[in-house]
Amino acid sequence: MSSTRTVTVASSQGLHARPAKLFVEAAQAAGAEVTIAKGEKSVNAASILGVLSLGVDKGDEVLLTAEGENEEQTLDSLETFLKTDHDEAS
Protein backbone atom coordinates (compact mmCIF):
# COMPACT_ATOMS: atom_id res chain seq x y z
CA MET A 1 0.00 0.00 0.00
CA SER A 2 1.14 3.56 -0.64
CA SER A 3 0.03 7.07 0.24
CA THR A 4 0.04 10.11 -2.03
CA ARG A 5 -0.17 13.84 -1.57
CA THR A 6 -0.22 16.82 -3.94
CA VAL A 7 1.87 19.77 -2.78
CA THR A 8 2.50 23.25 -4.21
CA VAL A 9 6.19 24.21 -4.04
CA ALA A 10 6.85 27.47 -2.14
CA SER A 11 10.61 28.03 -2.53
CA SER A 12 11.04 31.21 -4.56
CA GLN A 13 13.56 29.49 -6.86
CA GLY A 14 11.78 26.11 -6.89
CA LEU A 15 13.77 22.93 -6.30
CA HIS A 16 17.12 24.12 -7.61
CA ALA A 17 20.45 22.85 -6.25
CA ARG A 18 20.37 23.71 -2.52
CA PRO A 19 16.67 23.08 -1.79
CA ALA A 20 16.79 19.94 -3.97
CA LYS A 21 19.77 18.65 -1.98
CA LEU A 22 17.94 19.27 1.31
CA PHE A 23 14.77 17.65 -0.04
CA VAL A 24 16.70 14.56 -1.20
CA GLU A 25 18.39 14.28 2.21
CA ALA A 26 14.98 14.43 3.92
CA ALA A 27 13.59 11.79 1.54
CA GLN A 28 16.60 9.52 2.15
CA ALA A 29 16.19 9.81 5.93
CA ALA A 30 12.44 9.15 5.81
CA GLY A 31 12.51 5.38 6.07
CA ALA A 32 9.91 5.01 3.30
CA GLU A 33 10.38 4.75 -0.44
CA VAL A 34 9.35 8.12 -1.89
CA THR A 35 8.74 9.30 -5.43
CA ILE A 36 8.08 12.84 -6.62
CA ALA A 37 6.24 13.57 -9.85
CA LYS A 38 5.65 16.69 -11.91
CA GLY A 39 3.26 16.19 -14.77
CA GLU A 40 3.84 12.77 -16.33
CA LYS A 41 7.41 12.42 -15.06
CA SER A 42 8.03 10.59 -11.77
CA VAL A 43 11.44 10.09 -10.12
CA ASN A 44 12.96 8.63 -6.97
CA ALA A 45 12.86 11.45 -4.40
CA ALA A 46 16.18 10.23 -2.97
CA SER A 47 17.98 10.97 -6.28
CA ILE A 48 19.38 14.49 -6.63
CA LEU A 49 19.70 14.13 -10.41
CA GLY A 50 16.15 12.82 -10.66
CA VAL A 51 14.72 15.66 -8.59
CA LEU A 52 16.67 18.29 -10.53
CA SER A 53 15.54 16.74 -13.84
CA LEU A 54 11.91 17.55 -12.98
CA GLY A 55 12.63 21.29 -13.26
CA VAL A 56 10.31 22.18 -10.38
CA ASP A 57 9.62 25.92 -10.09
CA LYS A 58 7.83 28.00 -7.44
CA GLY A 59 4.09 27.39 -7.62
CA ASP A 60 4.41 24.03 -9.39
CA GLU A 61 2.29 21.19 -8.06
CA VAL A 62 4.10 17.94 -7.41
CA LEU A 63 2.73 14.56 -6.42
CA LEU A 64 4.53 12.78 -3.58
CA THR A 65 4.08 9.04 -3.14
CA ALA A 66 5.42 7.16 -0.13
CA GLU A 67 5.48 3.42 0.37
CA GLY A 68 6.70 1.60 3.45
CA GLU A 69 6.91 2.44 7.12
CA ASN A 70 5.57 5.78 8.35
CA GLU A 71 4.10 6.78 4.99
CA GLU A 72 1.88 9.53 6.39
CA GLN A 73 4.62 10.94 8.66
CA THR A 74 7.01 10.93 5.71
CA LEU A 75 4.52 12.79 3.53
CA ASP A 76 3.78 15.26 6.35
CA SER A 77 7.45 16.11 6.73
CA LEU A 78 8.15 16.38 2.99
CA GLU A 79 5.01 18.46 2.46
CA THR A 80 6.14 20.87 5.19
CA PHE A 81 9.56 21.04 3.52
CA LEU A 82 8.08 21.86 0.10
CA LYS A 83 5.73 24.50 1.55
CA THR A 84 8.68 26.38 3.10
CA ASP A 85 10.68 28.98 1.15
CA HIS A 86 14.23 27.70 1.50
CA ASP A 87 15.55 30.64 -0.50
CA GLU A 88 14.26 33.23 1.99
CA ALA A 89 17.42 33.20 4.12
CA SER A 90 19.76 33.39 1.11
Side-chain angles (χ1 to χ4, degrees), residues 29-47:
E33 189 173 317
V34 182
T35 59
I36 180 172
K38 177 184 167 191
E40 297 297 314
K41 186 172 183 179
S42 178
V43 299
N44 179 346
S47 165

Side-chain angles (χ1 to χ4, degrees), residues 18-36:
R18 192 177 70 79
K21 175 184 175 283
L22 297 172
F23 176 79
V24 166
E25 289 172 352
Q28 289 171 341
E33 189 173 317
V34 182
T35 59
I36 180 172

Side-chain angles (χ1 to χ4, degrees), residues 5-10 24 26 36 41 43 49 56 59 63-64 83 86:
R5 193 159 311 160
T6 301
V7 182
T8 302
V9 176
V24 166
I36 180 172
K41 186 172 183 179
V43 299
L49 292 177
V56 177
L63 179 68
L64 298 174
K83 287 184 170 182
H86 296 280

